[in-house]
Amino acid sequence: MRIVVIGTGYVGLVSGACLADFGHEVVCVDQSSAKIAELSRGQIPIHEPGLEGLVARNLGRNLNFSTDAPANVAGADLVILAVGTPSSEDGKAELGHLFQAVEEVVPHLRGGATLVVKSTVPVGTARRIRQRAAQLPCPPRFVLVSNPEFLREGSAIRDFNEPDRIVIGHGEGESPATIRAIYAQLLARGVPLVEMSNEAAELCKYASNTFLALRVAYVNEMADFCEAVGVDIASVVQGMALDRRIGHHYFQPGPGFGGSCFSKDISALLYTAHEAGLDLRIGSAVKQANSLRKQGLAKRVARAAGGTLKGKSIAVLGLAFKANTDDMRDSAALNLIADLRSRGVTVRTYDPAARPPALAGVTGCSSLAEAITGTDAAVIMTEWDEFRSMDLAAVAKLMRKPVVVDFRNLFPLSKAKAAGITYHSLGRATVRHQPEGQTALPQGESLPLPVPA
Ligand code: NAD
């Protein structure tokens, strides 16, 4: 099968490389000539485990890169649109890139080819693509398929190769045979393929992401409640998640969800629902709860650092919105850094993959040790293994004050106690460091952390 992928970002590049690895002949197209030049040399512009090897294995054989959509589209059996659909100010999905791609591609499609929308797009977009295509000079006859992508950054290749399901939306009487053929290996392994209307496929993606975000917002709220009443969230989560109706995915407390998808997709869902005359109260609550959570992070750090932040030096460990990616889009770490700066804090950052933001008063460090040396507190923002495996006692020795704020709950409280640090996490008791000569707190070392106002 000859496939062209338009847009070589996190989704387009992974999809293109995986499809080439399945044995298809793939050309990945991007409007950024710098990106295409890099990719053609085998350099990968993003951090995604396994991607470099996958591209290297297929590059120049059945995986090629180009900036020229029309030339490549002409011979393709199937063209995948994987361009960005960011949020505009009012929350509406910005479809400028998508329609630009449609206009570039459609006139050059060969008759009977399949055009696949993999970008996340609002319900009704396939219909609008059809209308736009009809206005173009001599539009060919093509099959229009909505095939939302559910991969996660950080485990994108595994997710693409082992999806829970493949969702295919198409018009009545249109055959999705070509797209079935590109996923033949997965279907042969028993991956379920669910066929529906284009509209249902479009909505299915937004509804899924909003639901996952809802789980995160819910467990975060429960963590706050645990803090208020002195209960350990880990026990509550364990007791809940073993119930198969609930499960453990997207169910760990954290600093608030980020990334390129959740916030923008909830906003777009709310926007399209509003256009349809509906107020989605649950979706709105999830969005609001998450943004309040992110706004409350600096306050939590202030409490941990003894009340005031002005003049302090704080290490922010992790910039990416999650581990195993360098993606900082909508990352809670960026909110925290901005808030710390506005409170007069000098910030030192370290992330194993993401590049530090170029901001006054923010020093990007090249190692964990460099970042924490001489600081008044270290804040763990991303659940990288490197942070999970750090030696807390050694960390404490490098810091001016041995205070760790862990927004990912990476350590058992017993480890923090043994390391002799003050350790604040989410939904759990605070472990307090007792400087020599001071008496311990009643009933040991723990106190609940008050819920932020
Ligand atoms: P991205 O911003 O990483 O990449 C988009 C790419 O498209 C960029 O390289 C850009 O240069 C290119 N592009 C834009 N217009 C183009 C055009 N007309 N011709 C050629 N190239 C063009 O985006 P992404 O994170 O890969 O997301 C793409 C889509 O997939 C979005 O709709 C997103 O919501 C959805 N999605 C993303 C993820 C994820 O984890 N990132 C997961 C599932 C779905």
Side-chain angles (χ1 to χ4, degrees):
M1 202 67 71
R2 283 168 302 171
I3 300 170
V4 170
V5 182
I6 309 287
T8 57
Y10 288 85
V11 166
L13 182 55
V14 169
S15 306
C18 289
L19 290 168
D21 212 47
F22 289 177
H24 301 298
E25 215 178 287
V26 179
V27 180
C28 288
V29 173
D30 204 284
Q31 62 187 7
S32 162
S33 45
K35 202 181 247 191
I36 290 302
E38 257 185 276
L39 286 165
S40 303
R41 291 192 297 268
Q43 293 165 351
I44 309 299
I46 56 174
H47 178 92
E48 183 58 48
L51 187 56
E52 195 172 353
L54 188 67
V55 169
R57 196 156 69 226
N58 294 283
L59 185 62
R61 297 183 350 201
N62 47 346
L63 178 63
N64 288 288
F65 295 96
S66 171
T67 51
D68 191 344
N72 287 291
V73 159
D77 302 301
L78 182 137
V79 177
I80 298 176
L81 304 181
V83 300
T85 49
S87 230
S88 53
E89 283 280 292
D90 53 6
K92 188 179 182 181
E94 179 51 69
L95 298 182
H97 295 300
L98 185 86
F99 279 98
Q100 189 194 334
V102 166
E103 285 170 23
E104 283 164 4
V105 163
V106 166
H108 304 279
L109 286 174
R110 64 166 184 74
T114 297
L115 181 64
V116 179
V117 183
K118 200 172 254 310
S119 299
T120 303
V121 294
V123 58
T125 302
R127 206 178 322 122
R128 287 181 58 201
I129 291 176
R130 277 273 180 228
Q131 286 163 358
R132 184 70 199 104
Q135 292 161 355
L136 297 170
C138 309
R141 191 182 52 78
F142 64 94
V143 175
L144 181 57
V145 166
S146 306
N147 173 217
E149 181 52 60
F150 297 95
L151 63 75
R152 295 160 298 174
E153 289 174 20
S155 53
I157 293 170
R158 195 182 62 220
D159 290 349
F160 192 91
N161 288 331
E162 297 167 31
D164 290 336
R165 77 309 203 184
I166 298 166
V167 170
I168 298 294
H170 60 90
E172 254 186 70
E174 287 206 322
S175 164
T178 312
I179 190 143
R180 278 179 159 272
I182 72 163
Y183 292 127
Q185 269 114 319
L186 304 182
L187 301 179
R189 272 197 266 125
V191 172
L193 183 143
V194 204
E195 284 183 37
M196 55 188 78
S197 67
N198 292 96
E199 289 80 4
E202 290 163 343
L203 189 49
C204 176
K205 172 67 190 180
Y206 284 105
S208 299
N209 268 3
T210 303
F211 184 74
L212 293 172
L214 179 150
R215 288 178 60 98
V216 176
Y218 183 78
V219 79
N220 282 339
E221 192 163 77
M222 284 304 113
D224 285 352
F225 189 29
C226 285
E227 282 171 24
V229 294
V231 169
D232 191 322
I233 185 69
S235 305
V236 175
V237 164
Q238 194 185 18
M240 289 178 73
L242 285 171
D243 184 330
R244 273 171 293 184
R245 293 170 302 176
I246 297 175
H248 62 275
H249 294 291
Y250 289 78
F251 215 49
Q252 290 300 323
F257 56 76
S260 68
C261 293
F262 278 8
S263 292
K264 94 164 165 68
D265 290 352
I266 297 171
S267 297
L269 182 73
L270 295 176
Y271 190 95
T272 43
H274 187 73
E275 280 183 324
L278 265 187
D279 180 13
L280 299 185
R281 293 192 186 86
I282 294 174
S284 303
V286 169
K287 187 178 165 178
Q288 192 196 17
N290 196 58
S291 82
L292 287 174
R293 185 160 196 83
K294 286 176 166 177
Q295 285 164 30
L297 298 175
K299 254 191 203 166
R300 287 176 186 265
V301 176
R303 257 199 306 274
T308 176
L309 285 173
K310 199 165 170 31
K312 296 219 157 111
S313 168
I314 294 192
V316 173
L317 304 180
L319 296 165
F321 82 96
K322 64 187 276 196
N324 300 321
T325 181
D326 57 351
D327 197 347
M328 295 190 288
R329 289 179 282 186
D330 201 28
S331 169
L334 300 185
N335 291 75
L336 176 64
I337 290 169
D339 285 352
L340 292 177
R341 285 297 300 138
S342 72
R343 289 163 182 248
V345 171
T346 304
V347 177
R348 299 172 70 73
T349 68
Y350 170 65
D351 188 287
R355 284 210 200 114
L359 294 171
V362 179
T363 306
C365 300
S366 51
S367 72
L368 172 58
E370 187 191 343
I372 59 173
T373 298
T375 53
D376 297 288
V379 187
I380 300 173
M381 293 301 294
T382 312
E383 71 282 27
W384 284 103
D385 280 346
E386 183 177 350
F387 303 151
R388 208 184 288 279
S389 61
M390 71 191 181
D391 177 344
L392 290 175
V395 160
K397 285 198 186 108
L398 291 174
M399 297 174 71
R400 184 155 52 205
K401 298 242 173 73
V403 177
V404 173
V405 183
D406 180 1
F407 286 132
R408 295 292 183 170
N409 288 7
L410 298 187
F411 297 96
L413 297 182
S414 55
K415 256 199 175 173
K417 284 177 193 167
I421 62 167
T422 291
Y423 178 74
H424 296 260
S425 51
L426 296 169
R428 302 191 295 178
T430 292
V431 173
R432 294 193 189 275
H433 165 62
Q434 292 303 313
E436 273 173 38
Q438 282 190 17
T439 46
L441 291 165
Q443 297 182 340
E445 313 83 336
S446 302
L447 273 184
L449 179 70
V451 176

